[in-house]
Amino acid sequence: MTAAAIEIRSATKTYASGIEAIHAFGPSSLSVGPGEFISLVGPSGCGKSTLMLMIAGLLDCTSGEIDVGGHVVTAPETSIGIMFQDNTLVPWRTVRGNIELQIELRGLPVAQYRSTVDRLISSVKLDDFADRYPYELSGGMQQRAAFCQTLVHRPQVLLLDEPLGKLDAMTREAIRRDLQALWLADRPTVIFVTHSIEEAIQLSTRVCVISPRPGKIERVIDIDLPWPRDLAIKRSEKFSAYASKIEEIFHGYGVL
Amino acid sequence: MAMASSEKSHSAPADASWWRGFLRGLARSWAFLLFFAGFFLFWQYAIDLFGIPAYILPRPSEIVTRGWADIDRLLYYTYVTAVESLLGYLVAIVIAVPLGLSIAFSSFLRRTIYPFFVSLEMTPKIAFAPLFISWLGFGLLPKVIIVFLVCFFPVVLNAILAFGSLSEELVRFIRATGASPWRAFFRVRLPAALPQCFVGFKYAAINATVGATIAEFIGSDQGLGFYIQIVTGNMRPDLAFAGIFLLTLLGLALFGAVTLVERWVIPWHISQRRSR
Ligand SMILES: Nc1ncnc2c1ncn2[C@@H]1O[C@H](COP(=O)(O)OP(=O)(O)OP(=O)(O)O)[C@@H](O)[C@H]1O
Ligand SMILES: [Mg+2]
């Protein structure tokens, strides 16, 4: 039996801010195997970002604990790649410079990563914009650049907080396909936050349905569909069965 | 194809001649220039129209000709005031930026010095001017100190704001990379803070000549503030206006220089982008 890549043990988060503490998440437990692709779906404000930050070690659990790579997270987990809900592109660097920022901050030799950077940039079709500044990019292009920034140091665990949030339907489909290809090729462990039930089913090995605040992982649904999952699969009966199952759960919460 | 043409239009303004840019600037600011000219024309002829005596308000043409006659003294005094302003300004920046930086990063300093500064900010610094003159005499030093005082607070308060307000997302990004404090500082915190720092630098640049002038009013034997006071006493408002005109130019030059530095240092900032 292989060790879990990520192990969440009755983790909770209560923000002690303002007049009244906000109980944002948990208690919930989940064990994520290496190479799994887990989606978190749930209504806005249910604690998805909070959980991400706790896994990354950027936020302490109020109770419970989380393991990443076999040890308890107590400090920022620098081995992973995290893409935040708001992108972390800095306005004084070009697309390329922003991707290299990840390398530089880690104190890694930029020269050795040049080909990786180029490859990532072309994989998200930003070749013509590699030397442009973020303000010269559309919202979707910025998100693609931020995606490269997250991947450039080749992390084996990826935490993606709504990475496709600002994209139009067409680009979204294209990036989804790229993300799936990347995952099938390298098999990183991925935790993926999305509002789209379809997207979650298409990409994931398992979908976690989170209840409204205080969010709990109430249902974990195994998605048993063949890879790669393309447009044809989305029209299959099995796919719609998964979709209506999840929709029904949300219906039960009164959020759909 | 579309790509290539947008590429071209983007780099075009950089290749265009200085002259073309100047003409375009002129075309854009014609309304301002017209207003400016109109203002002085009105002034020139309103004097006759309302029969205002020259010892109350001179004509712009008289200000120019009489001022020109005294140009040597005026220029030397401009130089004196410029040195006072510039010295006080630069010393303020050199001291205030590191201090603002330390206050932003030290919760101890934020609890002690910061409230002290905020309350001092409410004090009109210029009220200290007579004291400094009485302590230190008529020389350069008291003027530099007074200019320093009026420049210091805007710079330090904006620097505290600048270094203390990095977005939460970027703070998390830095932490997630495990970057050393130095690396994080030079690669992210410092560049992110520069735009807000320049707000302080520009504000202080406006204050600098004001501080120097008032310091000269109070106790001085040279400089434009001294000059304006003396010629006004001699019933020569024409020369006073000439002095005021040079003070304005000095202020503009200082402000313009800071703006140029800003454009050079943070060309990427939204305030520096010229949409085309
Ligand atoms: N820094 C904070 N201080 C206090 N409360 C917070 C903080 N961050 C989040 N919260 C609260 O925690 C709850 C969960 O927030 P979180 O950002 O994790 O939600 P989310 O599921 O990511 O929502 P969305 O889908 O809108 O991004 C919210 O009710 C929010 O008000
Ligand atoms: Mg969120």
Side-chain angles (χ1 to χ4, degrees):
Chain A
M1 175 148 179
T2 49
I6 300 169
E7 180 87 45
I8 302 164
R9 279 193 298 270
S10 332
T12 70
K13 181 68 202 181
T14 303
Y15 288 104
S17 76
I19 34 172
E20 216 178 310
I22 299 172
H23 182 186
F25 183 80
S28 278
S29 300
L30 180 73
S31 182
V32 181
E36 268 206 275
F37 195 118
I38 303 281
S39 285
L40 306 179
V41 291
S44 179
C46 71
K48 303 182 294 294
S49 299
T50 301
L51 177 58
M52 287 286 205
L53 293 174
M54 290 195 294
I55 297 172
L58 296 168
L59 204 60
D60 294 333
C61 303
T62 308
S63 67
E65 57 184 15
I66 295 176
D67 289 359
V68 171
H71 62 266
V72 179
V73 174
T74 51
E77 200 51 52
T78 57
S79 64
I80 66 175
I82 178 164
M83 182 168 169
F84 298 93
Q85 193 163 2
D86 291 325
N87 76 51
T88 49
L89 303 178
V90 297
W92 57 89
R93 283 177 173 238
T94 60
V95 167
R96 184 188 303 281
N98 265 291
I99 299 172
E100 285 173 356
L101 184 59
Q102 176 86 257
I103 302 296
E104 290 174 30
L105 285 175
R106 288 167 181 276
L108 301 169
V110 173
Q112 278 177 30
Y113 282 84
R114 205 139 279 156
S115 62
T116 314
V117 173
D118 285 334
R119 198 171 37 71
L120 279 170
I121 288 175
S122 14
S123 77
V124 296
K125 300 175 185 63
L126 282 177
D127 309 69
D128 294 329
F129 290 84
D131 299 315
R132 293 298 176 94
Y133 288 86
Y135 74 90
E136 298 176 288
L137 272 54
S138 71
M141 290 158 98
Q142 289 181 13
Q143 228 157 4
R144 275 138 70 193
F147 187 57
C148 298
Q149 192 187 50
T150 309
L151 294 182
V152 66
H153 58 296
R154 305 181 136 275
Q156 277 311 295
V157 173
L158 283 176
L159 309 180
L160 308 173
D161 199 348
E162 290 188 52
L164 311 184
K166 284 186 202 134
L167 301 178
D168 61 284
M170 267 184 294
T171 320
R172 208 172 164 129
E173 182 61 46
I175 302 270
R176 220 180 269 171
R177 206 165 41 223
D178 292 344
L179 180 57
Q180 187 170 103
L182 175 134
W183 177 74
L184 287 171
D186 292 354
R187 280 296 177 135
T189 309
V190 181
I191 309 268
F192 180 85
V193 172
T194 178
H195 279 138
S196 157
I197 294 172
E198 278 204 338
E199 191 165 279
I201 299 170
Q202 190 187 355
L203 292 172
S204 317
T205 55
R206 287 191 287 164
V207 176
C208 296
V209 179
I210 303 181
S211 62
R213 194 173 64 81
K216 292 194 181 73
I217 303 175
E218 296 236 319
R219 299 285 292 275
V220 182
I221 297 159
D222 280 294
I223 307 295
D224 183 19
L225 292 169
W227 303 98
R229 296 172 184 167
D230 49 15
L231 280 170
I233 282 203
K234 287 171 80 174
R235 296 199 194 88
S236 71
E237 229 160 82
K238 224 172 155 185
F239 192 98
S240 356
Y242 282 126
S244 36
K245 187 170 167 188
I246 295 170
E247 270 166 25
E248 257 163 47
I249 299 171
F250 282 127
H251 207 84
Y253 296 148
V255 292
L256 240 182
Chain B
M1 197 59 232
M3 204 51 249
S5 72
S6 92
E7 191 74 51
K8 212 174 247 155
S9 75
H10 188 263
S11 53
D15 308 334
S17 69
W18 178 86
W19 179 240
R20 280 240 303 279
F22 178 74
L23 283 184
R24 197 166 329 127
L26 211 62
R28 222 180 298 139
S29 51
W30 65 269
F32 163 75
L33 291 173
L34 208 65
F35 179 80
F36 212 63
F39 173 77
F40 282 106
L41 271 178
F42 173 77
W43 181 353
Q44 180 82 12
Y45 292 103
I47 301 283
D48 292 323
L49 202 63
F50 302 114
I52 301 170
Y55 62 86
I56 300 283
L57 185 65
R59 294 182 184 83
S61 62
E62 289 165 347
I63 296 170
V64 172
T65 52
R66 307 267 174 73
W68 186 251
D70 203 17
I71 193 68
D72 287 346
R73 204 148 57 114
L74 275 166
L75 283 184
Y76 176 65
Y77 285 168
T78 307
Y79 164 76
V80 169
T81 307
V83 168
E84 295 163 0
S85 311
L86 210 59
L87 274 180
Y89 180 71
L90 292 178
V91 174
I93 286 184
V94 166
I95 294 180
V97 173
L99 197 60
L101 180 66
S102 335
I103 293 174
F105 286 122
S106 149
S107 64
F108 174 72
L109 292 181
R110 240 191 346 270
R111 276 183 324 228
T112 50
I113 301 189
Y114 185 51
F116 178 65
F117 279 173
V118 171
S119 31
L120 260 188
E121 169 65 3
M122 301 302 142
T123 318
K125 263 68 64 186
I126 220 69
F128 291 105
L131 284 174
F132 278 109
I133 306 281
S134 83
W135 290 334
L136 300 167
F138 273 31
L140 178 64
L141 186 62
K143 276 99 191 173
V144 172
I145 290 178
I146 290 159
V147 173
F148 168 84
L149 278 182
V150 297
C151 294
F152 176 79
F153 288 90
V155 177
V156 81
L157 293 177
N158 277 289
I160 295 170
L161 187 61
F163 288 106
S165 51
L166 188 64
S167 80
E168 181 142 38
E169 225 73 331
L170 281 177
V171 173
R172 284 176 179 152
F173 177 49
I174 292 171
R175 296 215 294 139
T177 60
S180 70
W182 281 111
R183 235 183 230 125
F185 180 76
F186 285 109
R187 292 203 165 58
V188 182
R189 289 183 192 277
L190 178 63
L194 284 174
Q196 188 67 43
C197 285
F198 269 100
V199 172
F201 296 166
K202 288 207 251 186
Y203 197 89
I206 298 170
N207 281 1
T209 47
V210 178
T213 308
I214 296 184
E216 288 169 356
F217 280 172
I218 292 168
S220 179
D221 47 17
Q222 49 183 355
L224 286 175
F226 163 77
Y227 181 85
I228 289 166
Q229 212 177 27
I230 295 299
V231 296
T232 307
N234 294 343
M235 300 287 218
R236 291 295 302 274
D238 47 349
L239 293 180
F241 271 105
I244 291 169
F245 178 70
L246 284 174
L247 265 179
T248 310
L249 280 189
L250 182 60
L252 277 175
L254 188 55
F255 190 80
V258 178
T259 308
L260 278 181
V261 174
E262 180 185 29
R263 184 163 298 171
W264 176 64
V265 176
I266 51 168
W268 47 268
H269 190 246
I270 190 152
S271 64
Q272 305 303 314
R273 286 175 215 149
R274 275 150 296 178
S275 50
R276 310 174 187 109

